[in-house]
Amino acid sequence: MATAAHARRQLAFPFLFVLLWSTGFIAVKYGLAYAPPFKFLLYRFVLVEALMGAVALATRAVWPSTFAELAHVVVAGWLVHGLYLGGVLVAVASGMSARVTAAASALASPPGVSRALAKSKWTSTVLRESRGRAAR
């Protein structure tokens, strides 16, 4: 039976995830001024591995018990973080704004999630970005 404190913690995790994920786009914008895209991604991986490794050890998290489970975790991690975040970093480093990159990421997500971004917001974002590029 879950306690009230446990239920509150469970409720906080989605909000924490959104906060951390969304601030990543801000970090990318400023971090790329100091490192090329894949070096920045490497630094991010090393930092996250150290932090999450400590959290996993402190909480005695359950680790994958079979090679198949481990392979699944590794492949999923490389696809999500290596391809997705690598693409985001290269796009931002090439001049695409973090705003458009975030919107494109939302549209590329599963159908139920991408509907959260209304067509009018997407259109206004593209128009605003194209006007900004024309003025440069």
Side-chain angles (χ1 to χ4, degrees), residues 31-119:
L32 287 175
Y34 300 100
F38 292 109
K39 187 178 274 190
F40 182 81
L41 193 59
L42 173 68
Y43 293 155
R44 179 182 169 149
F45 281 159
V46 169
L47 178 65
V48 169
E49 188 277 328
L51 292 172
M52 293 310 297
V55 168
L57 291 173
T59 61
R60 295 189 172 113
V62 177
W63 295 88
S65 58
T66 66
F67 179 77
E69 289 175 352
L70 179 64
H72 177 78
V73 169
V74 168
V75 168
W78 277 106
L79 287 174
V80 169
H81 296 288
L83 290 179
Y84 166 71
L85 290 176
V88 166
L89 290 172
V90 168
V92 172
S94 299
M96 184 180 283
S97 75
R99 181 187 314 148
V100 172
T101 307
S105 300
L107 289 175
S109 62
V113 177
S114 63
R115 288 190 188 115
L117 185 62
K119 287 182 183 180

